[in-house]
Amino acid sequence: SLSAKEREEMLAIQGYKCALDGEPLTLEDSVWGHDVAWADGGKLYDGKVIRRGHNNAMGKLTHDEYKLILELRKNKAA
């Protein structure tokens, strides 16, 4: 995974927002989320800084697949 310094640099590029939900994100609550799971051959820099909880919940889904699920949940709650 990325070092905390590298992750913070990427988080700054992302405007301190989670790449999946677009909400404000702190370094402490962030992880480097691979777009393709590391176990499935994902590359180190093939990812974005995301909320820790999303990383656990998304399992082997890609970022786009998980974003669709988040959007469906958001629409259902509205």
Side-chain angles (χ1 to χ4, degrees), residues 4-76:
K5 181 179 185 240
E6 291 172 307
R7 197 170 73 245
E8 184 160 27
E9 289 170 359
M10 294 302 295
L11 190 56
I13 291 169
Q14 291 175 204
Y16 286 87
K17 295 184 186 264
C18 175
L20 296 177
D21 64 25
E23 296 294 321
L25 182 61
T26 64
L27 181 62
E28 293 76 23
D29 192 31
S30 73
V31 295
W32 182 252
H34 295 91
D35 193 30
V36 174
W38 187 257
D40 291 338
K43 305 295 181 206
L44 178 60
Y45 291 100
D46 180 26
K48 303 255 190 240
V49 182
I50 63 174
R51 193 169 315 285
R52 185 177 307 277
H54 291 322
N55 193 51
N56 295 334
M58 68 187 280
K60 289 190 172 190
L61 296 173
T62 66
H63 290 171
D64 287 339
E65 290 167 340
Y66 190 73
K67 283 169 81 171
L68 284 172
I69 290 170
L70 289 177
E71 188 65 30
L72 288 170
R73 289 178 181 165
K74 184 177 174 182
N75 289 339
K76 186 176 180 180

